[in-house]
Amino acid sequence: MQAFEYRNNQLWCEGLILSDVAQRFGTPLYVYSKQSIVDHCRWIEKAFGSIDHLSCYAVKANANAEIVRIIACESLGADVGSKGELQLALRAGFLPEKITFSGVGKRDDEIEFALENNISAFNVESEQELHVISHIATRLGKTARILLRVNFDIPSKTHPYITTGQKHNKFGVECSQAKRILLQATTCSGIEVHGIHSHLGSQITDRETFVRAAHAVVNFVNELRSERDNIPIREINFGGGYGVQYHDYITHPLLPQDDHHGETGLTTVSLLEAVLPILSHLKCKIVIQPGRSVVAHAGVLLTKVLYKKRTTEKTFVIVDAGMNDLIRPSLYLSYHQIVPLHVSNRQHEVVDVVGPLCESSDFFALDRMMPVVERGEHLAVMCTGAYGYVLSSNYNGRPRPTEVLVDGNHYEVITERESIHHV
Ligand code: LLP
């Protein structure tokens, strides 16, 4: 059974009809499938077979405490980007020895908190950060295990705002400086060098990009291990960024078909299968930090059509969710499939699906072929489990929406809708 599928022309999440859930809780509303999250964790784990590894879920993708707890129960680790995320991960039950800390701007108090909690490793982003960690660890009488984030300058075909592995990006240290910084790290007090880290960006759907990065990592590690440098490398963190299918995710004979954009058949497993044989030559522990690929498919954003408006140029479908609830289309021109909760035999038309906020960037779809929908009807914005609610805001005086978790025939409110007093 798919987590989300049409049965009798109604869209279901596991054992529940989504229009019933929308009626019960009102819209806008995020609904998640527990089964989908569990499945994605298990598929990723299975891809590693017997390879020594650790999959650290990137908490930033969806930081709902209940969702993070489900992932902790699947025995994954966590990658955190702040003290707040670290606290959340610890409370959710992740073992400290399975927690990594990434980010270009770790504050001193965050480093101290992570050391006190004996996390697995810091992904270090600069020479100066290395010295700060060394200093704090020494003062606390702790040892910081570190991996140096290396920027291999590998372009990836994704939105420029979410590429991280190119020279002009703020992330990591250049390859030409990395060896010197690692050599220095081996002599720093309170520091134990474990390896290198590479994270190319997010929503990368092209295998070749990952394969190129894997070869760059292998060549570099071989150089570090050479007789001349002799830097012991026992761990490779290959980051996250594994792209997911957004186009044509849900299908029905009465729905217009999306262009596939080469995403069909794209899975994290297929991307991992392309790189693991290359990386495993190094006989290192392999760490990855997937975020989106664990949770994107688990969530939908339900919204209601408030108005329709036709102009000489456009037909606008104005819905009750806005860019404050889901900012991905406005920020990265991201594509999310939008489907009615109830399908029927009706005409299709080209529309802009827009929110109620006072910005022209407040849209979910532009010039999109959709079944004709009417005021009062519910729609699902698909694949919004990652970077959805976490990026929401109170902009335009709007309370954040409810989040509901579905498990079989049961639902649980995992975040109450904010009241007007929050805004
Ligand atoms: N590791 C590091 C160091 C990261 O910065 C990120 C994401 C991840 C892992 C997880 O990447 P993922 O597997 O989720 O692609 N808000 C954007 C995505 C920002 C990604 C930030 N870093 C979006 O909605 O597309």
Side-chain angles (χ1 to χ4, degrees), residues 56-62 79-81 100-104 123 125 149 158-159 161-164 171 197-204 210 237-244 246 268 288-295 326-329 331-332 334 336 386-388 390-391:
C56 291
Y57 166 64
V59 173
K60 58 175 77 75
N62 186 320
D79 174 59
V80 300
T100 55
F101 191 175
S102 304
V104 286
N123 295 323
E125 298 258 3
R149 180 165 179 177
T158 186
H159 192 278
Y161 290 1
I162 51 177
T163 58
T164 56
F171 299 98
H197 173 225
S198 156
H199 172 75
L200 303 173
S202 200
Q203 184 54 13
I204 300 166
F210 285 108
N237 186 324
F238 199 61
Y242 312 99
V244 305
Y246 281 104
T268 314
I288 57 164
Q289 303 182 162
R292 186 191 312 270
S293 50
V294 179
V295 288
L326 174 71
I327 202 171
R328 302 195 68 253
L331 198 53
Y332 320 108
S334 304
H336 287 271
Y387 306 111
V390 267
L391 278 159

Side-chain angles (χ1 to χ4, degrees), residues 14-34:
E14 299 195 19
L16 296 179
I17 297 174
L18 279 172
S19 53
D20 293 344
V21 185
Q23 289 291 351
R24 167 84 179 75
F25 294 103
T27 51
L29 170 70
Y30 276 96
V31 181
Y32 303 99
S33 154
K34 179 175 178 184

Side-chain angles (χ1 to χ4, degrees), residues 4 13 31-34 36-37 40 249 294-300 383 385:
F4 294 94
C13 173
V31 181
Y32 303 99
S33 154
K34 179 175 178 184
S36 171
I37 301 167
H40 282 84
Y249 179 70
V294 179
V295 288
H297 286 173
V300 292
C383 306

Side-chain angles (χ1 to χ4, degrees), residues 189-232:
S189 72
I191 295 287
E192 203 173 270
V193 176
H194 274 225
I196 62 165
H197 173 225
S198 156
H199 172 75
L200 303 173
S202 200
Q203 184 54 13
I204 300 166
T205 54
D206 171 35
R207 270 165 171 252
E208 276 317 300
T209 306
F210 285 108
V211 167
R212 221 180 126 190
H215 283 301
V217 167
V218 170
N219 292 341
F220 188 59
V221 170
N222 284 333
E223 211 182 306
L224 296 174
R225 283 173 169 172
S226 69
E227 254 171 65
R228 194 164 52 99
D229 296 315
N230 200 17
I231 303 173

Side-chain angles (χ1 to χ4, degrees), residues 387-399:
Y387 306 111
Y389 189 95
V390 267
L391 278 159
S392 64
S393 75
N394 291 131
Y395 184 41
N396 269 220
R398 291 167 52 84

